[in-house]
Amino acid sequence: MLHIAGLHKSFFDPGRGEVKAVDGIELQVPPGVVAVMGANGAGKTTLLRLIAGLLEPDSGTIAVAGLDSVRDGDRFRAQLGYLSTSTKLPALATPREFLALIGQLHGLHPAAVAQRLEALVPQFGLADILDQRIATLSTGQAQRVNLARTLLADPPLLILDEPTTGLDVLAAAEVVTAVQRCRDQGRLILYCTHVPAEAQAVADQLLLIGRGQVAYAGTIADLADGGDFAPAVHAILRPAVAS
């Protein structure tokens, strides 16, 4: 579903000069949940923004369902739902009003939006909060609305960049449970997290990024060998950070 070939992206930093945020990444990723992990500054968020079409690569290609991120533009972006750590919701709107607006922006007919809500409301436990002002929602409830927003147009690819950052333990658990419900729908979900236990709870595949390159791509089971895989993650990433 997701094909990445020869992907490069650099930025200029006044103190460090040219920084290779993504340095020659090659990937072929089938449907499923992939935990994306790496140290701060490893290039994870840059990679996700490139995949989301928010950044244009210096070189290389990204394709989803045969559509190229640069050449196919809007058609490519229609294949994905993206949730970043900075995604905000309109405080004075209700979830119903907000999701209806998102449906309009996607070009969906109101009847199609209503049909999608029938599936999403029970999936994310929104029935009791659908007509409350978003400003009155807890952080966990608001993040569940945000997750429903990423799925409204029924995209085959979801990109979730640290969706539990800033949430308390109960709210983070709500988000993890919601993502777990998405696993069996035939989508590809890129789930970026710093928490190994969280990755192990939602994902089967693991992608470790170190210094803009792929440090490991494979199953969590192979890396964990039946136990906690956090030590193996740290062992792989430590040389990438140190070098």
Side-chain angles (χ1 to χ4, degrees), residues 81 95-96 98-100 102-103 106 108 110-130 141 143-155 158 174 177-179 181-183 185 187 189:
R96 189 190 302 275
F98 170 66
L99 293 171
I102 295 299
H106 279 288
L108 298 178
V113 175
Q115 187 176 26
R116 287 295 296 149
L117 284 180
E118 285 185 13
L120 295 173
V121 166
Q123 181 177 346
F124 292 101
L126 304 179
D128 293 337
I129 63 172
L130 201 56
Q141 290 170 331
Q143 195 70 322
R144 282 190 275 127
V145 173
N146 238 333
L147 286 168
R149 186 263 309 165
T150 67
L151 281 165
L152 191 64
D154 201 20
L158 296 182
E174 288 180 354
T177 298
V179 174
R181 295 193 188 106
C182 296
R183 281 193 300 199
Q185 297 176 344
R187 306 178 198 276
I189 303 174

Side-chain angles (χ1 to χ4, degrees), residues 74-96:
D74 290 342
R75 287 200 302 150
F76 171 88
R77 285 185 286 273
Q79 302 300 307
L80 56 91
Y82 178 62
L83 175 64
S84 75
T85 53
S86 60
T87 303
K88 304 297 182 184
L89 300 176
L92 297 181
T94 68
R96 189 190 302 275

